[in-house]
Amino acid sequence: MKTLNLGILAHVDAGKTSLTERLLHDVGVTDQLGSVDAGSTRTDTLALERQRGITIRSAVVSFVLDDVTVNLIDTPGHPDFIAEVERVLGVLDGAVLVISAVEGVQPQTRVLMRTLRRLRIPTLIFINKVDRAGADPERVVRAVAEKLTEAVVAMGSVAAAGTRGAHCTPYGPADVAFTDRLVDLLAGQDDTLLADWVADPSSLSYPRLRRALAARTGRALVQPVFAGSAITGAGVDALIAGITELLPTVQGDVDAPVSGTVFAIERGPAGEKVALVRLFAGTIRVRDRARVGAADAVLVTAVRVVAHGADVVASAVEAGHIARLWGLTDARIGDPVGVPLARAGADRHFAPPTLETVVVPARSVDRVALHAALVQLAEQDPLINLRQDDRQHEITVSLYGEVQKEVIQATLVDDFGVGVTFRETSTVHVERVCGVGEAVEVIAVAPNPFLATVGLRVAPAPTGAGVSFRLGVELGSMPPAFFAAVEETVRRTLRQGLHGWEIPDCEVTMTQAGYWARQSHSHGTFDKSMSSTAGDFRHLTPLVLMAALTRAGTRVHEPVHRFRLEVPGDVLGTLLPALTRLDAVLTDTTGQGSSYLVSGEIPAGLVHALERRLPALTRGEGVLETEFDSYRPVRGPAPVRARWDNNPLDRKEYLLAIVRRVGGR
């Protein structure tokens, strides 16, 4: 049977989960329609999701349409949980982007649509809530064409919009305006269609236009727009028909080598790790040995396949399907299973978190339990980016926003029994290398207390290039384990640079290397004091690297968001000085009738301040959209982050600390 792994995406409160419930009800998976307000939805299974009425974790449920198995993935809509959406994108065959007929295109809608188009994921758009007061689906269609993509076509009309009696009528071959729009849109993308239409307009029959629409939608070149109400069910039957007609299905090769990806991690009833895997090719059976990431193959101890609205115990999972696998104890989100595929990678689609906070246990005796709990949460959400400062005994986590902080706090109490508070949220900066710097420490030359020679050269790397480590010495000049120790330590040390912030992009070259070979006394016993070990290189490398960075210099960069702000024209005079005080840089101000569109850049750490002040500055009429853009050099004094003790600035203090740690030599 063919499969379709379908994602439901939306800005928060657009009705995404309600649409999921309506689909499950209308296709016969559920007898009763679930309600977000009543906390009875099928996909929001966490107690916290039911209490708050928002989706926090992606959920998968399955049903059959005709001869297609649809694995429906409901994703969070709140931007604080965008990491959940990111993990799902790599396993989708198609998507439905939900937009409210009242609020229209919102900031998160733009981010999601841009990403779907960039990844070429076939997408249908569903304008929801046509029964709500203020609904204007025609206005929303125009906004979609203006703000999201011009390649849209409305698939039906809505009567009595804004009332409980709103109903939708699909367009057909008799709707001349609809068929004309199809011809204009499709012929503009297909030279063959255009030539046939020029030669004989009647050659473009309605069935041919529908086939062409399906083909172009399947290649993510056209986005059909449906409308309706998830609550009343209006228009949902047309959407279901569109899913089966317009979105592409897959039928993977079950006999091919296994190839899949881990897109989520959960914990089972006994606390065991459970990996959610989308299988692109091959078959995985219980008791098979599966290779996950770079680790050795491990035994799959149990399989549960998503089918018929629930998880069911299975003996195997075949290509095209999603399953929960037990036994993959070292699996991490983004790991390939079997043969890696390009689309199965852990590529970044959205901006990284730009905020962080220190998590403080309510009781000091819970410090160990807190760390263990956060480790589990970081498995489920790697972008939490857990960081522990052993010197100050503090644990820091990365965040997208304040709502995520509240969810983490509630989860720690409810699931782990650990109460916590948070320090004030701060902005995550990065450091970039300014020039080229070199340093070397030679074995047996003071003040080097280690039996190792390490020389390193650091240089800038292009933004997004990552950290590269190269050898400027002969590979055979010392044991491979020593080179591995240096590279591993370089990468770890660069997590905190001269000012304490991560250096994400840097070229590091090892320019000198030396060691003392394994030696022993005359009676044959190994003498550690006369023989180099990997530990010598691990201890010495941070000192040399930081000295090289000091000579090269680093500059702290802050995250910057692009913003678009629609405001009444009469408030512009008071708004612009307020933006300047928030360190915003304006790039454009355009009049739009009685209003203005102001765009520019603003430091990420001041976005929340702008959001708080905006209602007062614009009489509540301002509409703000922001998204991460890039990092820019900090103006004024560089903020310093608390450093770990393996990233020293003071050479003498560091050496003394290391000598004390190893007992001196």
Side-chain angles (χ1 to χ4, degrees):
M1 180 177 285
K2 294 178 290 187
T3 59
L4 168 63
N5 291 287
L6 179 68
I8 307 291
L9 295 82
H11 184 98
V12 65
D13 290 334
K16 169 183 47 59
T17 299
S18 296
L19 177 60
T20 299
E21 290 298 318
R22 170 60 65 176
L23 291 171
L24 295 178
H25 179 267
D26 286 6
V27 300
V29 170
T30 58
D31 296 328
Q32 186 173 356
L33 194 65
S35 167
V36 174
D37 294 335
S40 58
T41 57
R42 185 68 172 265
T43 53
D44 286 344
T45 57
L46 299 178
L48 194 57
E49 291 178 313
R50 296 178 183 272
Q51 293 167 11
R52 299 183 65 102
I54 61 173
T55 300
I56 297 171
R57 293 276 180 257
S58 299
V60 185
V61 65
S62 180
F63 55 87
V64 175
L65 286 178
D66 298 331
D67 62 341
V68 178
T69 297
V70 179
N71 295 320
L72 191 66
I73 308 177
D74 182 21
T75 64
H78 198 287
D80 281 15
F81 307 106
I82 193 67
E84 281 289 312
V85 181
E86 176 170 88
R87 290 188 280 277
V88 167
L89 290 175
V91 305
L92 295 183
D93 304 311
V96 174
L97 180 63
V98 184
I99 304 175
S100 169
V102 180
E103 289 82 9
V105 175
Q106 295 173 281
Q108 187 77 344
T109 319
R110 289 176 181 259
V111 173
L112 292 170
M113 190 66 205
R114 262 198 306 271
T115 306
L116 289 168
R117 294 189 68 193
R118 185 173 71 249
L119 299 177
R120 303 187 69 82
I121 295 176
T123 302
L124 306 182
I125 295 173
F126 184 72
I127 299 175
N128 191 26
K129 301 185 178 182
V130 298
D131 59 319
R132 297 286 183 89
D136 189 348
E138 292 184 359
R139 169 181 57 83
V140 177
V141 172
R142 292 193 297 271
V144 168
E146 176 186 343
K147 299 179 179 180
L148 301 183
T149 171
E150 295 180 353
V152 295
V153 55
M155 301 299 292
S157 62
V158 180
T163 71
R164 191 70 175 178
H167 58 279
C168 308
T169 304
Y171 290 135
D175 296 291
V176 177
F178 172 60
T179 55
D180 286 347
R181 171 60 179 158
L182 283 180
V183 171
D184 290 343
L185 182 61
L186 299 174
Q189 297 183 354
D190 189 321
D191 291 341
T192 301
L193 284 177
L194 179 60
D196 289 349
W197 180 81
V198 171
D200 180 10
S202 64
S203 66
L204 298 188
S205 65
Y206 186 73
R208 183 181 178 187
L209 287 175
R210 295 292 296 211
R211 290 193 299 271
L213 177 62
R216 307 304 280 181
T217 302
R219 294 171 59 188
L221 298 173
V222 174
Q223 288 76 39
V225 180
F226 296 83
S229 168
I231 298 300
T232 67
V236 175
D237 54 347
L239 175 64
I240 293 173
I243 290 172
T244 57
E245 176 193 3
L246 302 174
L247 292 180
T249 58
V250 297
Q251 192 162 12
D253 185 352
V254 298
D255 297 319
V258 168
S259 182
T261 185
V262 177
F263 69 92
I265 295 292
E266 298 177 347
R267 288 283 170 173
E272 72 277 17
K273 181 181 286 189
V274 182
L276 269 74
V277 173
R278 160 73 195 271
L279 199 60
F280 295 100
T283 302
I284 297 178
R285 300 174 179 83
V286 177
R287 311 303 294 176
D288 278 355
R289 301 192 70 85
R291 185 179 180 86
V292 182
D296 295 333
V298 294
L299 188 70
V300 177
T301 58
V303 174
R304 294 183 70 93
V305 176
V306 180
H308 309 298
D311 276 3
V312 295
V313 176
S315 59
V317 55
E318 296 181 342
H321 292 277
I322 290 174
R324 287 176 168 84
L325 302 184
W326 276 254
L328 311 185
T329 53
D330 294 325
R332 297 175 300 176
I333 290 174
D335 277 349
V337 178
V339 180
L341 287 182
R343 71 170 298 182
D347 295 336
R348 296 302 313 277
H349 308 308
F350 301 107
T354 57
L355 304 173
E356 69 177 8
T357 184
V358 174
V359 189
V360 182
R363 302 183 308 166
S364 58
V365 295
D366 286 338
R367 193 176 304 279
V368 174
L370 170 62
H371 183 265
L374 287 173
V375 167
Q376 284 200 27
L377 292 184
E379 285 181 347
Q380 300 171 14
D381 184 356
L383 294 183
I384 285 179
N385 194 25
L386 187 65
R387 184 174 69 92
Q388 180 164 339
D389 185 340
D390 293 327
R391 183 174 59 181
Q392 298 187 13
H393 305 291
E394 292 180 344
I395 301 175
T396 303
V397 295
S398 300
L399 300 168
Y400 277 103
E402 295 299 313
V403 173
Q404 187 183 10
K405 182 194 290 186
E406 296 172 14
V407 169
I408 290 174
Q409 184 177 39
T411 302
L412 289 171
V413 172
D414 295 343
D415 294 355
F416 301 96
V418 178
V420 299
T421 57
F422 295 94
R423 302 265 178 85
E424 184 177 355
T425 302
S426 58
T427 305
V428 178
H429 296 68
V430 300
E431 291 183 50
R432 301 207 181 279
V433 178
C434 298
V436 178
E438 294 190 50
V440 63
E441 290 288 341
V442 179
I443 195 168
V445 176
N448 180 6
F450 305 110
L451 301 185
T453 293
V454 174
L456 297 173
R457 179 173 62 247
V458 297
T463 300
V467 175
S468 63
F469 180 80
R470 302 169 181 172
L471 292 181
V473 297
E474 291 292 334
L475 183 59
S477 59
M478 66 179 188
F482 294 170
F483 285 120
V486 173
E487 180 176 0
E488 174 190 335
T489 307
V490 162
R491 296 184 183 279
R492 186 176 68 247
T493 304
L494 289 175
R495 295 174 189 168
Q496 289 189 297
L498 298 178
H499 300 275
W501 304 103
E502 182 178 3
I503 301 177
D505 306 302
C506 182
E507 293 180 359
V508 181
T509 303
M510 190 169 188
T511 57
Q512 293 191 46
Y515 74 107
W516 282 357
R518 187 179 180 92
Q519 301 179 50
S520 60
H521 293 291
S522 57
H523 49 74
T525 59
F526 170 60
D527 187 350
K528 183 178 180 181
S529 67
M530 299 171 60
S531 308
S532 299
T533 66
D536 288 295
F537 289 89
R538 291 193 185 97
H539 289 315
L540 182 59
T541 296
L543 171 64
V544 178
L545 181 58
M546 297 305 285
L549 284 172
T550 301
R551 289 165 184 155
T554 66
R555 187 168 185 182
V556 177
H557 286 58
E558 64 182 347
V560 174
H561 283 223
R562 285 196 304 268
F563 72 86
R564 288 166 46 92
L565 182 54
E566 296 181 26
V567 298
D570 61 334
V571 306
L572 193 63
T574 57
L575 176 68
L576 295 183
L579 290 173
T580 300
R581 288 192 293 272
L582 290 171
D583 204 17
V585 177
L586 303 184
T587 56
D588 190 32
T589 302
T590 306
Q592 296 182 332
S594 61
S595 64
Y596 277 88
L597 176 62
V598 182
S599 57
E601 298 177 345
I602 185 171
L606 295 175
V607 170
H608 292 297
L610 176 58
E611 291 172 340
R612 289 194 301 268
R613 298 183 59 184
L614 189 61
L617 290 169
T618 64
R619 301 190 305 272
E621 298 179 42
V623 179
L624 175 67
E625 297 178 7
T626 67
E627 63 175 316
F628 173 82
D629 179 54
S630 60
Y631 287 90
R632 74 180 183 192
V634 168
R635 301 171 183 176
V640 177
R641 185 198 218 179
R643 290 180 296 275
W644 299 343
D645 64 358
N646 69 341
N647 276 358
L649 284 179
D650 189 309
R651 173 187 176 96
K652 180 179 178 182
E653 178 184 346
Y654 173 75
L655 282 175
L656 289 174
I658 291 297
V659 170
R660 285 194 297 269
R661 183 189 304 172
V662 300
R665 278 205 287 233

